[in-house]
Amino acid sequence: MTLGLFIPCYIDQLYPQVGQATYTLLTRLGHQVEVPEKPACCGQPMSNSGFAKAGAGCLTDFAREYARFDHIVSPSGSCVLHLKESLEAQHSPLAHRVYELCEFLHDIAKVDSLPARFPHRVGLHQSCHGLRGLGLGSPSECRVPAFSKPARLLQMVAGLELVPLDRCDECCGFGGTFSVFESDVSVSMGRDRIQDHIRHGAEFITSADMSCLMHLGGLLSRQAPQMKVRHIAEILAGTEELAMDGHGLP
Amino acid sequence: MTHSAAAHEFQRDPARAAWHDQTLWMVRAKRDRMAARVPEWEQLREAASQIKEHTLSKLADYLEQFADTAAANGIHVHWAADGDEHNRTVHSILKKHGARKLVKSKSMLTEECHLNPHLEKHGIEVIDTDLGERIVQFQKMPPSHIVMPAIHLKRAEVGEVFHEHLGTPSGLDDPQQLTEAARQHLRSHFLTADAALTGVNFAVAETGGFVVCTNEGNADMGAHLAPVHIASMGIEKIIPRQAHLGVFLRLLARSATGQPSTVFSSHFLKPRPGQEMHIVIVDNGRSRQLARSDYRKSLACIRCAACFNTCPVYRRSGGYSYSYFISGPIGSILAPNVDKAAHASMPFASTLCGSCTAVCPVKIDIHTQLLKWRQDITAAGHAPWWKKAAMHTTAFVVRRPALFRLGGWFMRRTTPLLNLLRLDPWTQSRDLPPAPAQTFRQWHNQQSNKK
Ligand code: SF4
């Protein structure tokens, strides 16, 4: 089975180590992984800004390039949610073959152990699109049995200690272009998110969504540079050393 | 004013903004605890959602049934196409009775119709009798929250308002003493009012009766003492059967404040001997929203404000940052129905985190509707030109690999400079990440070549 790996535009350009960790993790688990040349973006920034029509071309590119795969995996919950919802609106069968990384590992690959090690106190930021959109976990608003796919995966990592949080799934305030057009509220939300992690002694904030981490990491580097962000793929792939230098390329 | 500009003002006092966030978060947390005590909570939500869905699909029939039964019970039934007609109707009833003073229990519909200024213009004194409403009425401000109208004020500030308007000692901020002062003040008005107006939480088609929920009993005080009782309701307040009330009453108070039920859930079926009872059924744009299939579910709202309390944006920007009298997430999908241009920034005041949708007791897909409004609002030309330009440029670039690589290369080279200059809203408070030497694709192509 060959997997199509979708690395969204901002991860490609700014966080190659996340794509690399995802690729490494999936190949190490025995999957054949391919990355088609063309699609760079899922079209979400345009859609969330009210220009879904302008972003529709991205979806066309995606559907063309990835149609040949049974499973498509991406390390970005919000991009996957956008792809799923938009493809479903077009009645495309592809809609049900796109997976966020944790979703894929948990539901499809059904991993129950990982050779990873990350001896640190880690706070899990459950990104909203992953949590409420993709159902990667139970949202705190709903009275359903508690579960979290990313947390289950993180518990397979040796030495990793998950810290509890006061507000277990409050939004970090990124929200795509919201972070720019509503920057006051966005920044205030991000700072509160960070404080919650600091209060509980986290050394790292992790998430299945690099965009949330881009926002939180950007705030951290100004106010609490001792704390770092790590995409969950980096932790699950055990690439701590690689990622440590911030560039992450061997 | 756009939401972001108003939010900027609110955030100028970060300590106060943090207090506002904490206060409402406590309400949300209490709601969670109380909902958790109802094992069938999710089934209740599903039932409520389906009852509302069904009712909206046969709204005209149920309204007619309600009006007929209510009339048979001896209630005078009036229909109002818009806010003006509602106000004129209320005024004509008051005029007929020579009423000079109206005690009003909290009704967001009368806020929507701007009833108070209309009546005051005609020399009728209107007393809002809900404590929070009375406080903001003293301040000549609208409510900042639909359930807790003065939640944005601290105790000491309420003390100041009371000092100014009720003559309590300056600096008094003991809640018990303040409440007592308010109670005495309101009691004098209940006893001397010529008419009472209440809202309607639920109107039952089967019985022609309606239910009003309050915590202070102010609706009952007004309605039971005054010779005339007017109830104002939006057409969406209808539910088919008395048996359905149980579902909604269990959900409403728990979602709103975390109480098992409101202190008073009063059922009004017919006027008491010697009293006259009127009901004004108002459309005011609701049937237009009903016809917009993407947004019709917003009419299922029972006004519990759970979506406000859970909304991280509302908590950090306050009720007055919204341009509509119903603020918060639900207000942001109701407002553009009334005026797209005037409320164009409201659907953008959200991260689309979906917490509103998950908390809503009637399962309104609030964040999905927000996203839909964004498309409709930009399509109607209400987006700033530079946003439009930025989005079309992005869409063009990301589809062209060579251009994308070039743009990315340029951006990565300039991030240190952007971090240094801090000119844009992102870098004013946040760093862009250090630029990596290589993109993922470059790395991946190298990998493939090695093989
Ligand atoms: S939209 Fe839902 S959560 Fe918000 S006020 Fe209405 S019923 Fe309550």
Side-chain angles (χ1 to χ4, degrees):
Chain A
M1 176 174 71
T2 306
L3 293 182
L5 177 60
F6 175 67
I7 298 298
C9 47
Y10 71 103
I11 294 187
D12 177 47
Q13 292 293 321
L14 297 171
Y15 301 99
Q17 71 274 21
V18 173
Q20 193 190 334
T22 310
Y23 184 87
T24 310
L25 181 61
L26 292 171
T27 44
R28 203 189 291 153
L29 289 169
H31 300 286
Q32 191 81 24
V33 181
E34 279 185 32
V35 187
E37 182 53 31
K38 195 164 179 205
C41 175
C42 63
Q44 179 175 225
M46 286 65 94
S47 171
N48 282 5
S49 304
F51 295 92
K53 286 219 181 83
C58 295
L59 212 63
T60 319
D61 292 346
F62 179 87
R64 193 173 47 237
E65 299 280 335
Y66 282 90
R68 60 196 164 97
F69 301 108
D70 293 327
H71 296 110
I72 302 140
V73 180
S74 178
S76 176
S78 70
C79 300
V80 169
L81 179 65
H82 177 74
L83 287 168
K84 277 195 192 186
E85 287 182 344
S86 320
L87 290 164
E88 194 156 78
Q90 299 177 355
H91 306 291
S92 161
L94 259 191
H96 306 287
R97 299 190 338 235
V98 190
Y99 296 92
E100 184 280 324
L101 175 65
C102 296
E103 194 181 22
F104 176 79
L105 296 176
H106 188 277
D107 297 355
I108 306 298
K110 298 195 192 308
V111 297
D112 48 20
S113 71
L114 284 164
R117 194 181 140 71
F118 197 76
H120 296 286
R121 287 174 63 81
V122 176
L124 171 61
H125 171 66
Q126 311 222 51
S127 67
C128 304
H129 284 180
L131 184 76
R132 301 191 189 84
L134 296 173
L136 297 186
S138 49
S140 59
E141 298 87 15
C142 296
R143 308 273 60 95
V144 291
F147 73 99
S148 165
K149 295 174 190 178
R152 268 196 68 187
L153 292 166
L154 286 170
Q155 274 148 4
M156 296 172 196
V157 177
L160 184 145
E161 190 187 340
L162 263 184
V163 303
L165 297 168
D166 292 332
R167 299 187 185 181
C168 63
D169 54 16
E170 173 121 309
C171 176
C172 70
F174 172 65
T177 49
F178 179 89
S179 61
V180 174
F181 299 123
E182 287 264 6
S183 72
D184 295 288
V185 176
S186 169
V187 166
S188 152
M189 287 168 70
R191 290 197 174 134
D192 289 351
R193 216 62 226 102
I194 287 170
Q195 280 310 320
D196 200 350
H197 285 78
I198 290 180
R199 264 198 307 282
H200 293 89
E203 298 165 69
F204 290 89
I205 304 179
T206 193
S207 169
D209 229 312
M210 199 60 222
S211 52
C212 303
L213 294 179
M214 176 164 78
H215 168 62
L216 293 173
L219 287 164
L220 277 177
S221 91
R222 295 248 174 111
Q223 26 168 171
Q226 75 284 2
M227 198 192 281
K228 302 282 179 205
V229 296
R230 284 289 174 274
H231 189 274
I232 195 164
E234 297 178 83
I235 295 179
L236 299 180
T239 54
E240 186 187 4
E241 298 75 24
L242 292 178
M244 276 317 243
D245 65 3
H247 301 259
L249 297 171
Chain B
M1 206 193 307
T2 61
H3 181 271
S4 62
H8 179 74
E9 288 305 310
F10 190 79
Q11 283 286 340
R12 267 175 197 273
D13 186 348
R16 192 187 179 87
W19 166 81
H20 192 265
D21 166 63
Q22 282 293 345
T23 307
L24 288 161
W25 180 261
M26 263 159 43
V27 184
R28 148 90 209 260
K30 188 164 172 217
R31 170 261 172 215
D32 290 354
R33 284 197 303 278
M34 295 309 284
R37 290 204 199 156
V38 181
E40 67 276 28
W41 183 257
E42 295 302 325
Q43 285 101 299
L44 275 179
R45 286 179 73 216
E46 183 57 32
S49 165
Q50 286 189 19
I51 295 168
K52 281 286 181 182
E53 193 91 64
H54 165 81
T55 314
L56 289 173
S57 73
K58 289 184 181 317
L59 193 60
D61 297 344
Y62 283 122
L63 279 169
E64 232 169 276
Q65 189 190 353
F66 172 77
D68 291 347
T69 342
N73 292 344
I75 304 177
H76 300 269
V77 179
H78 311 261
W79 300 87
D82 56 24
D84 281 345
E85 194 174 352
H86 164 264
N87 295 347
R88 281 199 308 274
T89 307
V90 172
H91 180 232
S92 72
I93 299 167
L94 295 176
K95 206 161 126 194
K96 197 180 90 192
H97 291 271
R100 305 300 307 270
K101 187 194 280 187
L102 175 74
V103 284
K104 198 163 109 257
S105 101
K106 196 163 59 137
S107 149
M108 291 315 287
L109 179 59
T110 55
E111 278 293 326
E112 174 182 335
C113 300
H114 307 290
L115 177 70
N116 288 18
H118 180 87
L119 294 181
E120 279 153 13
K121 209 172 63 202
H122 288 92
I124 294 167
E125 189 186 2
V126 184
I127 312 287
D128 279 321
T129 59
D130 173 273
L131 180 54
E133 284 254 311
R134 187 65 179 146
I135 296 167
V136 293
Q137 192 185 25
F138 280 143
Q139 290 192 314
K140 300 202 176 6
M141 291 293 279
S144 71
H145 185 287
I146 56 173
V147 170
M148 299 169 283
I151 192 71
H152 60 290
L153 295 175
K154 297 192 177 187
R155 222 168 42 209
E157 292 163 333
V158 174
E160 275 319 293
V161 175
F162 278 21
H163 170 62
E164 194 183 319
H165 294 274
L166 298 180
T168 53
S170 169
L172 180 73
D173 70 347
D174 175 61
Q176 216 154 6
Q177 285 175 288
L178 290 175
T179 315
E180 185 55 29
R183 203 169 268 159
Q184 296 302 337
H185 158 75
L186 286 172
R187 189 147 301 193
S188 70
H189 287 298
F190 282 129
L191 291 168
T192 53
D194 305 307
L197 188 145
T198 68
V200 169
N201 287 91
F202 305 100
V204 185
E206 179 186 41
T207 64
F210 58 93
V211 175
V212 184
C213 303
T214 69
N215 274 327
E216 296 159 19
N218 51 317
D220 312 78
M221 286 277 249
H224 291 162
L225 286 166
V228 184
H229 175 188
I230 305 168
S232 295
M233 66 174 261
I235 55 170
E236 81 286 13
K237 292 290 175 185
I238 214 91
I239 58 171
R241 303 187 36 224
Q242 181 82 4
H244 296 148
L245 266 175
V247 173
F248 292 102
L249 289 176
R250 294 184 76 196
L251 285 168
L252 177 65
R254 285 181 174 89
S255 298
T257 55
Q259 294 164 274
S261 69
T262 42
V263 178
F264 300 88
S265 303
S266 307
H267 299 236
F268 295 92
L269 200 59
K270 55 172 94 151
R272 66 168 189 271
Q275 190 199 36
E276 212 174 277
M277 195 182 267
H278 294 261
I279 187 143
V280 190
I281 305 173
V282 186
D283 182 333
N284 204 28
R286 286 165 177 71
S287 50
R288 184 175 55 226
Q289 184 89 327
L290 189 68
R292 291 174 158 149
S293 59
D294 283 344
Y295 310 110
R296 69 180 284 172
K297 191 76 199 281
S298 64
L299 292 172
C301 175
I302 58 172
R303 303 286 191 266
C304 69
C307 58
F308 292 46
N309 305 336
T310 205
C311 177
V313 177
Y314 177 90
R315 278 189 263 114
R316 289 178 184 78
S317 61
Y320 295 144
S321 65
Y322 295 78
S323 57
Y324 194 50
F325 77 103
I326 297 181
S327 48
I330 181 70
S332 296
I333 54 181
L334 294 173
N337 174 56
V338 176
D339 187 338
K340 248 190 256 174
H343 306 296
S345 75
M346 292 306 132
F348 294 88
S350 165
T351 60
L352 306 178
C353 74
S355 185
C356 46
T357 301
V359 90
C360 177
V362 285
K363 293 193 170 181
I364 300 173
D365 53 338
I366 305 175
H367 74 291
T368 312
Q369 295 190 31
L370 287 171
L371 184 56
K372 286 195 176 124
W373 269 125
R374 292 184 186 186
Q375 317 306 328
D376 289 357
I377 282 167
T378 50
H382 301 306
W385 65 268
W386 41 269
K387 200 177 197 178
K388 189 172 170 188
M391 287 305 143
H392 281 277
T393 311
T394 311
F396 188 83
V397 172
V398 291
R399 293 191 66 194
R400 287 160 183 80
L403 203 56
F404 176 66
R405 276 197 298 275
L406 184 71
W409 178 86
F410 181 74
M411 192 187 71
R412 285 182 291 126
R413 289 298 159 283
T414 49
T415 52
L417 187 67
L418 293 174
N419 283 338
L420 208 65
L421 293 176
R422 305 190 177 185
L423 290 176
D424 61 290
W426 179 278
T427 52
Q428 264 158 29
S429 329
R430 290 157 288 210
D431 275 334
L432 286 163
Q438 228 183 355
T439 67
F440 170 76
R441 260 165 220 279
Q442 286 170 330
W443 173 82
H444 181 255
N445 290 344
Q446 267 175 15
Q447 289 291 104
S448 316
N449 292 342
K450 272 189 222 156
K451 278 180 205 159

